[in-house]
């Protein structure tokens, strides 16, 4: 049932657009509210009047219609939906989505949307197989866009091959699946470390680093969103505690280790904190004063490695231990060595050299290193990295059962 769910259906140009009329009926039968956006090409195949009649709502076609903009801005169009469905998704619209264009209402709505997107591609088999289309499909998939079809069979152009839009009931099933909350980690426990640590020099001074905590917090949010009971052990950051996550605020590496071990056993541990490698061996009880004898000498001691310590636990080792490797050169080779040295299962390696903008920035380019090899992820936002990692963790924990 889709009672009360709101679908924004974007119809692009293609002969398969006639099936979108059937799709609207099926969605309405199940209680969904369907609001439609049509491209100019779509209106060559089905009339806005039919779409309006079946959806029992106004149809949106024009980016620059003043009435539409005052009644319902393009931002609100997607914000007021639970899911954006593009059916049929033409090669042209998919290309514009992949390129981030905003040259008509459909593309603008898609670019301005923060909602899950499902595409049902439909086109001639040669167009579907073309490397340009396949590259666009891969780009969209990497951004989390879901896809249903295309199916193989007779095509409207008279050829046979892959490119037929999925049938309306298949699209309905994919919509129901997309809207069902994904709780694959329900009943699982997750531990995430995040942020920097602060190593006291004296009561007012410390050694630390520029970690923002954005990636670690996003991972905790993504694991909690999948239903995991999530504990976030974090050093000081500006990030809000994500909903459903239990925060344990710490300062030093030693405190981070104690807090992490106190929350075992867990099914998965993701160590995203930028732990200071060294602490000051003897913290001064009182504020260090300038005493005329020159600057004090700080003797450093090595901090415990939290990732390696958890990975080496005997009776309560997390089933999956994931670490990060912040590298500035030989990124993958160094990460492979680090994975073996620290005894963890996966390393997410990222290049933090100057100019990449990773440290403190909003995006990340990840190489996932495990015992079998390396998986290169495209540049993604830290939220998208977190969602993809949570998805991989859910698959791994279920596969291991
Ligand atoms: N880590 C940890 N405890 C430490 C140091 C690091 O848990 N004391 C974890 C980090 O959270 C990260 C991983 O280890 O998941 C890798 O950290 P990184 O700084 O890249 O590696 P280092 O161990 O510092 O190695 P090096 O600086 O020599 O590359």
């Amino acid at each position: 049932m889709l009672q009360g769910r709101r679908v924004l259906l974007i119809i692009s140009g293609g002969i398969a657009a006639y099936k979108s009329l059937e799709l609207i009926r099926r969605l309405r039968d199940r209680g969904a509210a369907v609001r439609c956006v049509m491209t100019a090409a779509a209106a060559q195949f089905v009339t806005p009047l039919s779409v309006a009649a079946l959806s029992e709502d106004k149809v949106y076609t024009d980016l620059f219609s003043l009435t539409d903009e005052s009644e319902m801005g393009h931002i609100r169009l997607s914000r007021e939906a639970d899911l954006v469905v593009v059916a049929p998704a033409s090669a042209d619209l998919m290309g514009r989505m992949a390129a981030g264009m905003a040259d008509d209402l459909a593309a603008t709505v898609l670019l301005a949307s923060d909602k899950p997107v499902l595409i049902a591609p439909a086109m001639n088999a040669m167009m579907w197989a073309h490397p340009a289309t396949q590259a666009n499909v891969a780009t969209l998939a990497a951004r989390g866009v879901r896809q249903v079809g295309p199916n193989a069979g007779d095509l409207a152009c008279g050829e046979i091959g892959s490119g037929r839009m999925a049938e309306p009931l298949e699209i309905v099933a994919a919509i129901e699946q997309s809207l069902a909350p994904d709780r694959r980690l329900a009943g699982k426990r997750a531990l995430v470390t995040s942020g920097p640590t602060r190593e006291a020099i004296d009561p007012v001074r410390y050694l630390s680093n520029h970690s923002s905590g954005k990636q670690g917090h996003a991972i905790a949010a993504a694991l909690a969103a999948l239903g995991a009971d999530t504990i976030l052990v974090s050093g000081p950051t500006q990030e809000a505690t994500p909903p459903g996550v239990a925060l344990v605020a710490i300062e030093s590496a030693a405190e981070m280790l104690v807090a992490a071990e106190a929350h075992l056993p867990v099914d998965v541990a993701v160590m995203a904190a930028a732990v200071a490698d060294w602490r000051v061996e003897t913290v001064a009880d009182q504020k260090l004063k300038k005493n005329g004898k020159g600057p004090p000498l700080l003797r450093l001691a090595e901090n415990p490695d939290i990732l390696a310590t958890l990975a080496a636990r005997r009776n309560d080792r997390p089933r999956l231990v994931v670490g990060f490797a912040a590298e500035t050169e030989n990124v993958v080779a160094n990460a492979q060595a680090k994975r073996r040295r620290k005894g963890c299962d996966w390393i997410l390696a990222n290049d933090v050299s100057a100019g990449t903008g990773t440290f403190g920035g909003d995006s990340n380019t990840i190489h996932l290193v495990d015992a079998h090899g390396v998986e290169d992820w495209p540049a993604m936002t830290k939220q998208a990295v977190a969602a993809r990692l949570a998805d991989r963790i859910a698959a791994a924990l279920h596969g291991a059962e």
Side-chain angles (χ1 to χ4, degrees):
M1 279 307 273
L2 290 167
Q3 196 64 45
R5 308 314 295 268
R6 299 162 308 173
V7 173
L8 181 69
L9 175 63
I10 295 179
I11 306 175
S12 63
I15 192 74
Y18 78 92
K19 291 197 215 169
S20 306
L21 300 179
E22 176 73 5
L23 173 63
I24 298 168
R25 290 190 55 175
R26 297 295 172 214
L27 291 171
R28 297 287 296 138
D29 288 349
R30 285 163 178 72
V34 186
R35 178 166 280 158
C36 297
V37 170
M38 294 175 72
T39 63
Q44 300 291 324
F45 293 92
V46 290
T47 68
L49 194 59
S50 321
V51 173
L54 287 169
S55 63
E56 297 172 273
D57 200 347
K58 186 171 160 34
V59 172
Y60 297 83
T61 50
D62 190 355
L63 182 56
F64 299 107
S65 153
L66 280 178
T67 359
D68 287 359
E69 282 298 310
S70 56
E71 280 174 13
M72 167 67 64
H74 57 265
I75 307 283
R76 268 179 65 204
L77 267 175
S78 83
R79 294 289 152 79
E80 292 188 357
D82 300 309
L83 177 71
V84 182
V85 178
V86 188
S90 64
D92 176 72
L93 183 54
M94 284 166 42
R96 291 188 286 130
M97 287 169 76
M101 288 169 70
D103 52 350
D104 68 358
L105 180 62
T108 307
V109 164
L110 285 158
L111 197 60
S113 173
D114 60 351
K115 293 297 160 60
V117 177
L118 172 73
I119 56 173
M123 67 199 71
N124 161 278
M126 297 289 273
M127 290 170 81
W128 173 250
H130 196 284
T133 306
Q134 289 304 312
N136 290 335
V137 168
T139 301
L140 295 175
R143 289 184 199 147
V145 171
R146 295 159 202 222
Q147 185 187 324
V148 53
N151 297 339
D154 293 338
L155 301 177
C157 52
E159 293 178 8
I160 297 177
S162 191
R164 268 176 76 88
M165 188 169 86
E167 295 306 317
L169 285 179
E170 287 176 77
I171 301 175
V172 169
I175 289 171
E176 283 173 336
Q177 212 179 23
S178 299
L179 287 173
D182 183 350
R183 308 289 290 171
R184 275 177 296 159
L185 289 176
K188 301 277 189 270
R189 278 170 60 81
L191 170 70
V192 179
T193 64
S194 184
T197 64
R198 282 183 184 172
E199 309 299 331
I201 297 171
D202 66 17
V204 298
R205 301 185 178 93
Y206 57 81
L207 301 174
S208 190
N209 59 62
H210 286 299
S211 170
S212 63
K214 284 182 184 165
Q215 186 63 81
H217 279 56
I219 291 166
L223 293 170
L226 292 186
D229 189 356
T230 306
I231 297 122
L232 175 63
V233 178
S234 179
T237 75
Q238 299 291 320
E239 293 293 296
T241 306
V245 168
L247 175 74
V248 182
I250 54 82
E251 294 221 334
S252 67
E255 288 167 4
M256 184 173 269
L257 177 62
V258 169
E261 289 191 304
H263 287 91
L264 297 177
V266 296
D267 297 283
V268 57
V270 182
M271 307 286 97
V275 183
D277 287 319
W278 302 285
R279 66 178 180 279
V280 178
E281 194 173 58
T282 312
V283 181
D285 294 341
Q286 306 298 329
K287 183 176 170 228
L288 297 176
K289 305 286 273 182
K290 293 183 285 295
N291 56 9
K293 294 186 200 148
L297 269 182
L298 295 180
R299 203 183 153 81
L300 301 181
E302 194 155 333
N303 267 332
D305 191 309
I306 299 158
L307 176 61
T309 307
L310 294 194
R313 299 276 298 202
R314 281 176 171 266
N315 298 324
D316 55 5
R317 181 190 192 277
R319 277 163 58 194
L320 190 59
V321 180
V322 183
F324 272 79
E327 306 288 351
T328 54
E329 57 179 354
N330 304 326
V331 175
V332 169
N334 283 346
Q336 280 163 331
K338 195 169 286 179
R339 194 188 77 82
R340 284 190 292 273
R341 196 167 67 239
K342 299 203 180 197
C344 59
D345 301 301
W346 298 350
I347 284 267
L348 301 193
N350 54 4
D351 187 344
V352 295
S353 46
T356 60
T358 301
F359 234 61
D362 291 319
S363 78
N364 222 341
T365 306
I366 294 287
H367 310 274
L368 186 138
V369 176
D370 68 7
H372 308 293
V374 186
E375 193 180 291
D376 298 319
W377 295 2
M380 287 190 249
T381 63
K382 290 183 176 177
Q383 277 70 23
V385 167
R388 184 153 172 176
L389 176 63
D391 178 69
R392 290 292 308 262
I393 289 171
L397 290 183
H398 285 289
E401 273 170 2

